[in-house]
Amino acid sequence: MPELPEVESTRRHLLETLTGARLEAVWIGHPRTGRRNQRPSDVVERLTGRRVERLGRRGKFLMADVEDDLTWVIHLGMSGRIALHGPADPVTAHTHFRATTDAGIEMRFIDPRTFGFVAVFTPEELSDDPLSRLGRDALEDLPTTAEFSTWLDSRTAPIKALLLDQRFVAGLGNIYADEILHLAGVHPRRPGGSLRLDEIERLRSAVPLVLEAGVAMGGTSLDDLAYLLPDGRAGDYLDRLMVYGNEGEPCEKCGNVIERMVVAQRSSHFCSRCQV
DNA sequence: AACGATCCCTGTTGGC
DNA sequence: TGCCAACAGGGATCGT
């Protein structure tokens, strides 16, 4: 599912096409895709004719600066992906947003489960939106071990749930949280406040190791229907996963069988020998 | 305040 | 073989 490495891989592939491009024909075809704007038609009205100044990312949100202080925000949700096409290419199912650049390239947002969205915010709207409370980016702005320690202090929620909470560190999802906990040797159900300083340090240092490897491989494509790069290719990190989706298989570190349990309403994959 | 539960949605999977 | 319930999950929201 799209997490930070998938969103960052998508951003890097879009940079050349979108940076400095003027958007011409803009279309939104599903009410849920534009639901974060009070009026979904604002997405079309605000983007049409305007130039994209810069394409950034915070956590799992693509955030582009657009002329006149607007912020164009795209979230891939669970099943969203972006594809670049020529305007005459056949439109595939679940295409809910299209925008043509002045160079004649069409960007499409494809999202079968409609958990994702496309929105355009004014500065005032952005400060009112929950995404203004997003935490620090897990790749570009990772908190220090001391800051992690303060945040975890006396917390009773399982560490897995806390890693998925986007309000402190933004960008981790179910797959990479499992991988990070495995690399750090921490059990997903450990209460956040129970982690010793050396464990917090291992956890914190595992974050960039896992995420940067994910970005280098173009992200994780679980199957052909979910995340793909904008040119339609699959990301290659699937083969590198140590625990996610490996239930019943031997741990590559110790040979113990990988187990699965539900933590924070999400399936968690872990090695009970490596992770304590 | 912190935490857990629920809901949104649809393609795929697994059980009977 | 065919049908249908269960499952997948990011984030907003709500109840305790």
Side-chain angles (χ1 to χ4, degrees):
Chain A
M1 303 304 128
E3 305 178 26
L4 188 152
E6 289 73 37
V7 178
E8 177 63 15
S9 297
T10 298
R11 187 186 77 88
R12 292 183 185 185
H13 278 75
L14 292 174
L15 275 176
E16 187 182 345
T17 299
L18 289 184
T19 305
R22 188 175 299 280
L23 301 176
E24 293 179 341
V26 180
W27 172 88
I28 190 160
H30 194 296
R32 270 178 59 80
T33 298
R35 67 192 181 281
R36 288 284 276 268
N37 273 100
Q38 297 89 332
R39 301 188 309 153
S41 58
D42 282 345
V43 176
V44 173
E45 291 170 12
R46 293 175 177 185
L47 290 179
T48 303
R50 288 207 166 88
R51 189 177 296 277
V52 179
E53 295 167 339
R54 179 185 157 273
L55 179 61
R57 178 192 57 75
R58 185 151 165 212
K60 304 172 197 174
F61 295 80
L62 280 173
M63 302 181 79
D65 296 335
V66 174
E67 274 182 320
D68 301 323
D69 276 334
L70 295 171
T71 305
W72 180 19
V73 182
I74 300 173
H75 195 284
L76 301 178
M78 174 183 174
S79 59
R81 66 185 190 89
I82 289 170
L84 293 176
H85 285 279
D89 291 346
V91 177
T92 56
H94 310 297
T95 299
H96 301 318
F97 170 91
R98 302 161 71 183
T100 307
T101 71
D102 50 359
I105 298 173
E106 185 168 299
M107 184 193 127
R108 299 177 181 173
F109 178 69
I110 302 152
D111 184 17
R113 291 175 207 180
T114 67
F115 277 47
F117 69 87
V118 178
V120 185
F121 295 114
T122 65
E124 298 75 33
E125 291 167 349
L126 192 60
S127 64
D128 285 343
D129 193 274
L131 79 88
S132 70
R133 293 186 283 278
L134 208 54
R136 289 160 62 183
D137 187 75
L139 201 56
E140 305 298 333
D141 191 24
L142 189 65
T144 64
T145 299
E147 288 167 329
F148 262 95
S149 180
T150 300
W151 176 63
L152 291 173
D153 180 47
S154 68
R155 301 291 293 272
T156 60
I159 185 64
K160 170 74 179 285
L162 296 174
L163 289 179
L164 294 178
D165 184 345
Q166 305 295 300
R167 290 170 299 184
F168 178 61
V169 169
L172 304 182
N174 205 39
I175 295 174
Y176 293 97
D178 278 4
E179 297 299 311
I180 287 163
L181 286 166
H182 178 258
L183 182 59
V186 174
H187 193 288
R189 210 166 250 180
R190 284 277 299 283
S194 76
L195 269 66
R196 302 184 311 269
L197 199 57
D198 63 302
E199 291 175 317
I200 296 171
E201 170 57 34
R202 287 210 308 272
L203 190 62
R204 192 235 177 227
S205 60
V207 172
L209 288 174
V210 170
L211 294 183
E212 284 168 14
V215 172
M217 300 295 283
T220 303
S221 293
L222 292 178
D223 54 61
D224 290 346
L225 290 170
Y227 161 78
L228 296 170
L229 291 159
D231 59 7
R233 286 184 307 138
D236 292 323
Y237 198 66
L238 181 65
D239 293 339
R240 304 291 182 89
L241 296 177
M242 301 284 280
V243 285
Y244 184 88
N246 290 359
E247 181 187 10
E249 294 167 32
C251 171
E252 291 186 37
K253 277 205 282 188
C254 79
N256 207 34
V257 65
I258 300 298
E259 300 169 48
R260 188 175 78 90
M261 64 164 59
V262 175
V263 181
Q265 289 76 241
R266 296 285 178 263
S267 71
S268 290
H269 312 71
F270 66 100
C271 169
S272 60
R273 184 184 293 171
C274 294
Q275 296 173 254
V276 294

